[in-house]
Each structure stands twice: as C-alpha cells, then as structure tokens.
Amino acid sequence: MHVRGGELLKVEGDPEGPLNHGKLCPIGAATTELVYHPDRLKYPQRRIGPRGSGKWERITWDEALDEITERVLAIREETGPESIAMGTGTGRHHIRWVSRFGHALGTPNWCEPGFAQCFHPRVNTCIQTMGDLPVCDFTGDVDPALIMYWGHNPPHSGPDGETRFNVRESLLSHPRIITIDPRQTVVARKSELWLQLRPGTDDALALAFLNVIIGEELYDREFCEKYTHGFDELAAHVHGFTPEWAEPITWVPADKIRAAARLFAECKPAMLEWGCAIEHTPNTIQTIRALSMIPVLTGNIDVPGGWIFGMHGAGRFPGLIENLDPEVEKKRLGYDKYKMLCGEGADLPACHIPSLIDAMLYGEPYRVRAFLVFGNNTLATYANTKLVYEALMKLDYMVCADLFMTPTAELADIVLPAASWPELNQIAALPTIAGNIVMGQQKVVQIGECKSDEEMFVELARRMKLPVCTEPVEEVLDQMLENGGQPVDFKGLTERGWIHMPQKYRKYEIEGFKTPTGKIELYSTRLEAMGYEPLPYYEEPPESPISSPEVAKKYPLVLTTGGRVSVYFNSEHRQLPLCRNAHPEPLAEIHPKTAAPLGIEDGDWMWIETRRGRIEQKAKVTDRIEPRVIHCEHGWWFPERKGPDYGIWESNANVLTDNRAPFDPQMGTYQLRGLLCRVGKAERGNGKAGTEPTPMEAATG
C-alpha cells in the first residue's frame, strides 16, 4: 500500500508475496475506490422514522455506544442474554470477534449465513472424522498429478480460505483434471473428464466413486489397513451404490463415473478441490463424508501435492466461549438438534439461522428481541428473503455496522461506520484453519469516524463493564501468535511482513489422527455417539423432480444458485466502478434448447420463479449449462437505486431459496440448490421483478 500524508495512493501486488506473487485480484485492484467511495458510511447514525423508512440523523460515537449499551443491557436483564443475537458475514477479518463479544455478553446465539451452508460443514466433519481440516497443497514443492474440482470454480472464486492465484499457478504444471459441475466452468473447460451432474445429487455420485474404488481394488491397501477405521463396514455399505445405480439420479452416464473414479485412483498425488455447492442441501454432512473418503482411500492424505493438514501458525483464537453459562449455552437455538453446528460436534458452535428467524418472528422457543449485525447484508445473504425481512421487522432493537448503507442497515436503529481493510490492524492466516502462512495487516489510513469492528467490540465491552473482551485489539493478536508458537508479536509481524511455516508431511506416522480410534474414521464413532449415522448415505433433496413430482409439473426446471462472480464477494462491491463496469448486471444462465421455445434470447431480461417468489435477471444463453438447469447469480442488490430497499427484491437469488424444514439432521442445513423453478421472458426490460409494492414499500406505506 502506497501512502503519502495519510492518503492511500494505490495498492500493488507484492512480488515477494508468498500467496499472490505480485498479482492482485479485481477486488484488491479496486481498494482505493472502496476506501474513498463517496457513499461510505463515515459517522454513526440513529434512525428517526419508522423502521425501514430511510430517515436518519447523525450522532456521536459516545451517543451511539451509550445507547447500544443501555438498550442491550436492559434487554439482557429483562429476558436473558439468549434474547440477544449477534450476526456477521462470511470470511471477514472480524468474524471470530463477533462470537467472542457474544460470549463476553453471555449470549449463545451468534450466526453467520455460511456456517451451516459453506465451509464449516467441511471443517466440522473433517475435525470429527480426521482430527483436522485437510487443504490442497498448492504452496508445496510437488505438483499434483491430478486435481478434481467438485462443485467449485476456484479461478473465479478462490478456494475456501486460500487464493485464486495458487490455483491458477497449479494449472501451469498441466495436471490432469476432473470437474464435477452442472455448468461448464473455467476448470471444466480444461478438464479431461467433465461430469455434468444434477444439482443436489453429489452424495449419490460420491458413493458411486467409492463403489468403484473399493470394488475394483483401486484403493491404497497399506494406508487403509494402517490408518483408517471401518474399511470393511464401508465396503459392505457401498456395495450396491454402483455407477448404474447413480446414473438416473445424477444424470451422469455410468461409464463416465467409472472412468473418473479410476482416473483419480490411478494418479498420484491427487487433490480434491471441493466447494460450497456440496453444502447446499439437507444431506450436507453425509455428502461431505462420502467425498472426503475419495482422497483417503487412495492414500492422498498429508502427502506432497495432495491433501495436507496445516501447520496452524496463527494459533487458536481466544473466542471466550468458556465465559458462557453452561445453562445458557443449552439455550442456543438448535443446540438440542444440530450438534454439528450448535453443540459438541462444532469447532465453533453457532446458532441455527432458521431457528433464529422463528425466534424473532414467532417467539419460539423464546423471543429474540435484539440483533447486532457486523458486516452482513442479511436481506441479500440469508435464504428466503421475505421471511427474513418479516423477522427483522419484529425486532425491538437492531444495530448494523457496515461500510455502506444497505437494505439491511436501513432496518436498524443504529448504524455504525466500519473500517475497510486498510483502516485496521489484523492477522491473516491462510489457508483458513490450516494457517500455513501468517501475515500482519497494519492500519495505514483513517476515513471519517470509521472504526474497525474489533475496536467497536472492545469499546462496547468496556462500557458494558463485561468481565472479558476489554483488552486492546493488539493484545489479542499477540495472544494468537503466541498460541501458534510464533517468535514475534503483532508489531514484529507487521515489520517482518509474513511468516511461512515449513510444511511437515505424513504427520500421522508419528502423531496418528486426533480421533477416538487414532485413525481416519470411515465409520465415524463420534457421529455414532452423537446419535447420527456413522456411514455416508444418499438422500434426495426435498424439492426435486424425483421427491416432489407434483411441484415439478408447475416448476419443471432445476435451479442452482451461488456461482461466484470474480469481481464481487457475495453481496459486496457493487458500488465500485472497477468491479461494476466489469459485471454490471445479474446474469442467469439458460441453455439454447430451453430458451428458444420461450422466446428468450441472449441479453433479454427473464423472470425466474420458485414457490417462494420471483426475480428477474438478464439471460445468458449458453450451451455450457445442462438444458434442464437454470443458474442465477446470488448477492444482487443495486446501491445506485433509491433507498431504503435499493432493489433488493428485484434480482436477489434468496427471494427464491428456502430455509424451511427438512434440515440436515447433523448441521441444520437447508436447500439452496436443486430447487424447482420455471422461467419466462420478462415483459419489461428494466430488471424490476414486479409491479406490486415490495415488502418495504408495503410496511412504510
């Protein structure tokens, strides 16, 4: 970052950077646009009209923090700490601080929309069955012979907690590639084998892979005998899950399934690069279980160029969960049902969002009265937007900290101006969980009265006279480095830049695996002890052509949502010219055979409808998608439109998605992909999805 006189002039990629090697992603290139955008929130504001009316007044930080302190403590005193919920967005610098402050306050109810739907199902499952989360060895000295991309397009989105630069560089060694995706993504176009499956049937496809690998004795016999538990039980369990069984379920030809399973087993070393698409149905945990066994059976665990366990260089974050009263912790929404999300099976327990919505809306099992949101546009990123909106409107008190005014912030009582990344001190350890590279991020500029979320929590904790969470931010960062065995504190890390931890391989030969059996558990003793199935199984999504044929008569197409756009991060950055000019409008992919009978041509606005609602996006007519599948982009709202809703109802994919039961019995996950829909050509070409008043317009008259 180039700074002169307190002004950030430009941001460049550091040629010596251990992850990006001098490159910038489009979002990084737009940093100065983000920092100095004229619409940035620069001072605290208090709502002066009805909720959602868009009427605000400027106040001081003292006024804002004093009011929040008074209102939140009063609610805690009246109805208990569990009636206060904390919310945040995915992948942000402050995500662990949200739960930390919640634990200090005494509430068990904190949430993030991805915890049950993105990444953390993999984290929790792998910790329970392997003792740690494996990641791809992109920064090692050995190139993979094969990479299998499953429900993931990392050159656009970046692997979870890693960077897209490492993925792009890994392709330079020309590994063999398998891609599993209903869309012909960037990596699918480079693939030797592309399996174009039906969205939501990943579990069936993975079980067929296991059937082939075990049935044809393609597994690593020595590794499985020494280091896995339950191989015989798994072999008997998957005996009937043949590629021929999977073909009508997945839409993938049996011979192609068999060829892909053989290819993965024969190439050494091999990586599985998996994405959040596998975590968007109510069979999330068992889908992850089945996929995770493919690298395990083939002996690609903790080896150079394969799946590795990280070095955890940043150490454990002091989350303060020990501060929770044990009886209050049992009141966490979902605690008694979804143990892999909310209880003993979670690395960081969070509350169940659909249960939280019910608590806000219906007071079941008790009423949640306050919601403190830090860095999340809830109306854009929570499933079933209409129901979420109704729930937020029932709150007694809501606080929102963000970079910009959003449709969600417009519903708050107090809005706080958050600092962007060049305005704060923090540690980044990547890959996330693995922590092989630890970097120090230092504050270089101050915009208006903006504060980092971390500083907000410290100041609130001090005002509320909480017993913990009151030490300066840098002391917590120092503690993380100490927990990771680092020889420097935060100041020393910023002077040094980063620490690259030397990777140790095959650690299990000395340490074993951190599971009850000391082995990778194909048959999971921990899941069994929690009352869940110990072996992976197939379950049809609750809304699909197979499980709900009557619905399919009206909604004959299969909807998949959430494919990433390289210039955006979920719902962020649509204000930034560099990003928006590169991708100005929401695009929905439709096959020419599907579009032609409906009179839809490339560039037309088309409507997409499910049982939850209807939106409009611009048609991208392409043969790179399965003819029976529609893909629409997520995270869309229009900051340039008039508030308070900023077009949140027009193209937002979560107007279409569902957050109702059935849920994954272990994780509480709900269905975001594989839903049933229908489409048509929009009568108006302005992207506005209807003439009736939006929920915000109806509420405010």
Side-chain angles (χ1 to χ4, degrees):
M1 292 187 286
H2 295 260
V3 183
R4 181 185 299 133
E7 180 184 358
L8 178 62
L9 302 178
K10 63 177 178 179
V11 175
E12 291 182 313
D14 185 347
E16 298 180 1
L19 294 171
N20 64 326
H21 301 139
K23 303 179 183 69
L24 285 179
C25 75
I27 299 170
T31 295
T32 54
E33 290 185 355
L34 171 67
V35 171
Y36 294 112
H37 197 286
D39 293 338
R40 280 283 305 275
L41 292 169
K42 297 182 179 68
Y43 47 80
Q45 298 180 64
R46 177 193 288 124
R47 179 172 51 79
I48 56 175
R51 192 179 300 279
S53 64
K55 298 178 181 179
W56 300 90
E57 66 174 354
R58 178 175 180 173
I59 57 175
T60 67
W61 270 105
D62 283 338
E63 289 175 308
L65 296 174
D66 285 345
E67 179 185 307
I68 295 168
T69 296
E70 181 181 351
R71 293 290 301 273
V72 168
L73 291 182
I75 291 172
R76 187 178 70 168
E77 178 66 24
E78 292 164 5
T79 49
E82 67 274 13
S83 61
I84 304 161
M86 305 287 301
T88 188
T90 190
R92 296 341 247 153
H93 53 88
H94 62 274
I95 183 170
R96 299 278 174 157
W97 289 74
V98 175
S99 57
R100 174 183 168 88
F101 177 76
H103 297 152
L105 184 61
T107 178
N109 290 322
W110 85 277
C111 63
E112 183 264 292
F115 252 58
Q117 313 285 152
C118 172
F119 188 48
H120 273 268
R122 278 169 282 165
V123 173
N124 294 339
T125 301
C126 290
I127 287 176
Q128 292 298 325
T129 58
M130 301 183 190
D132 201 353
L133 173 75
V135 298
C136 288
D137 188 22
F138 284 123
T139 56
D141 296 328
V142 175
D143 295 322
L146 179 142
I147 305 175
M148 181 159 65
Y149 296 99
W150 197 307
H152 202 14
N153 188 27
H156 269 189
S157 62
D160 292 301
E162 300 179 36
T163 78
R164 66 186 84 177
F165 309 112
N166 301 130
V167 176
R168 291 178 181 271
E169 289 173 0
S170 72
L171 299 177
L172 297 177
S173 64
H174 304 290
R176 303 177 81 173
I177 299 175
I178 302 168
T179 297
I180 292 90
D181 204 297
R183 305 162 62 218
Q184 191 181 35
T185 59
V186 172
V187 289
R189 293 196 287 275
K190 297 178 180 292
S191 296
E192 184 173 335
L193 288 171
W194 171 35
L195 280 58
Q196 199 173 14
L197 87 166
R198 174 166 64 94
T201 60
D202 306 83
D203 47 359
L205 186 59
L207 289 167
F209 267 65
L210 300 179
N211 172 277
V212 173
I213 292 169
I214 295 175
E216 297 186 9
E217 298 188 0
L218 302 175
Y219 56 90
D220 186 320
R221 185 178 298 274
E222 181 181 1
F223 181 85
C224 290
E225 287 178 354
K226 282 187 177 181
Y227 299 112
T228 68
H229 170 77
F231 178 86
D232 291 340
E233 291 90 337
L234 176 66
H237 179 68
V238 302
H239 179 72
F241 297 132
T242 64
E244 287 72 23
W245 163 81
E247 178 174 336
I249 297 170
T250 64
W251 299 349
V252 179
D255 60 345
K256 215 167 189 179
I257 299 173
R258 193 167 276 109
R262 289 170 177 167
L263 182 59
F264 189 92
E266 291 165 0
C267 291
K268 297 291 179 66
M271 297 176 172
L272 171 60
E273 183 52 76
W274 49 1
C276 65
I278 65 173
E279 297 164 318
H280 287 177
T281 67
N283 199 32
T284 290
I285 297 300
Q286 298 301 342
T287 298
I288 293 164
R289 289 271 291 132
L291 265 71
S292 71
M293 293 176 184
I294 298 171
V296 171
L297 292 177
T298 53
N300 286 292
I301 297 297
D302 217 22
V303 297
W307 253 11
I308 58 172
F309 298 117
M311 303 306 296
H312 306 288
R316 188 75 179 176
F317 179 77
L320 303 178
I321 195 168
E322 66 278 4
N323 190 66
L324 282 181
D325 183 304
E327 292 305 311
V328 174
E329 185 167 10
K330 293 177 183 177
K331 295 182 180 180
R332 182 180 295 118
L333 294 164
Y335 179 86
D336 57 338
K337 296 179 181 178
Y338 314 114
K339 298 175 185 178
M340 294 282 283
L341 171 70
C342 312
E344 61 184 290
D347 181 52
L348 175 60
C351 74
H352 184 234
I353 288 180
S355 300
L356 173 64
I357 298 303
D358 288 348
M360 291 176 178
L361 196 55
Y362 310 118
E364 300 174 357
Y366 52 79
R367 187 164 173 241
V368 168
R369 299 170 55 195
F371 194 33
L372 313 182
V373 186
F374 291 81
N376 174 249
N377 189 357
T378 308
L379 292 180
T381 58
Y382 281 32
N384 202 341
T385 306
K386 186 174 183 294
L387 194 68
V388 171
Y389 171 80
E390 292 173 0
L392 297 182
M393 290 293 287
K394 294 272 294 230
L395 291 167
D396 289 350
Y397 195 63
M398 181 174 170
V399 175
C400 191
D402 215 319
L403 300 166
F404 296 93
M405 187 66 79
T406 67
T408 303
E410 289 280 9
L411 302 182
D413 294 88
I414 295 284
V415 171
L416 302 175
S420 63
W421 68 267
E423 304 166 58
L424 55 89
N425 292 325
Q426 204 25 277
I427 287 174
L430 296 174
T432 301
I433 308 298
N436 295 332
I437 295 172
V438 186
M439 294 173 284
Q441 164 57 42
Q442 55 189 308
K443 177 177 178 176
V444 300
V445 66
Q446 173 69 48
I447 302 300
E449 299 178 14
C450 297
K451 292 181 184 288
S452 72
D453 303 78
E454 295 90 332
E455 291 173 309
M456 297 180 203
F457 295 132
V458 171
E459 292 198 26
L460 282 170
R462 290 172 177 174
R463 271 178 164 76
M464 293 179 178
K465 295 181 171 53
L466 301 181
V468 290
C469 198
T470 57
E471 65 269 50
V473 173
E474 288 70 23
E475 285 189 16
V476 178
L477 304 181
D478 290 344
Q479 186 177 341
M480 288 176 63
L481 292 170
E482 183 179 345
N483 292 345
Q486 300 301 341
V488 297
D489 58 11
F490 174 71
K491 185 176 184 297
L493 180 61
T494 61
E495 293 169 352
R496 184 170 173 174
W498 62 81
I499 297 171
H500 195 163
M501 302 286 291
Q503 181 65 43
K504 297 179 182 178
Y505 297 101
R506 296 184 176 89
K507 296 182 284 296
Y508 56 81
E509 293 179 349
I510 298 173
E511 304 169 2
F513 296 91
K514 297 175 183 177
T515 64
T517 59
K519 299 180 178 183
I520 292 180
E521 297 199 345
L522 305 174
Y523 184 102
S524 176
T525 61
R526 281 180 170 167
L527 264 66
E528 186 175 48
M530 286 186 276
Y532 302 129
E533 291 295 326
L535 291 167
Y537 57 84
Y538 159 71
E539 187 172 81
E540 182 67 22
E543 183 177 297
S544 80
I546 294 176
S547 60
S548 46
E550 289 302 312
V551 177
K553 291 179 181 178
K554 183 176 181 180
Y555 301 98
L557 299 170
V558 177
L559 177 68
T560 186
T561 63
R564 300 302 192 252
V565 180
S566 62
V567 294
Y568 301 128
F569 183 72
N570 294 318
S571 67
E572 286 193 287
H573 308 310
R574 284 166 180 80
Q575 302 93 338
L576 308 185
L578 191 64
C579 298
R580 189 62 178 277
N581 290 341
H583 197 97
E585 295 169 314
L587 300 179
E589 294 182 5
I590 182 171
H591 195 278
K593 291 181 180 178
T594 311
L598 299 171
I600 297 173
E601 298 182 357
D602 191 59
D604 287 343
W605 284 92
M606 57 183 275
W607 52 261
I608 309 159
E609 183 180 280
T610 68
R611 291 191 290 172
R612 271 71 54 188
R614 176 187 285 200
I615 64 170
E616 289 184 11
Q617 295 195 357
K618 210 167 191 177
K620 181 179 180 180
V621 180
T622 175
D623 60 2
R624 291 177 175 172
I625 191 168
E626 221 284 344
R628 292 164 285 185
V629 174
I630 301 294
H631 171 262
C632 73
E633 295 174 353
H634 87 302
W636 272 96
W637 61 295
F638 301 92
E640 72 276 11
R641 299 269 174 86
K642 183 180 178 181
D645 64 357
Y646 306 98
I648 191 65
W649 307 101
E650 299 174 17
S651 300
N652 175 10
N654 277 318
V655 171
L656 308 176
T657 56
D658 199 7
N659 64 354
R660 300 290 87 189
F663 303 115
D664 181 283
Q666 295 106 152
M667 198 77 188
T669 313
Y670 33 96
Q671 189 174 0
L672 298 178
R673 297 185 194 243
L675 298 160
L676 296 175
C677 74
R678 61 179 181 175
V679 301
K681 185 175 181 179
E683 295 181 5
R684 297 180 299 160
N686 61 0
K688 193 160 185 176
T691 56
E692 295 184 1
T694 68
M696 282 188 178
E697 290 169 341
T700 60

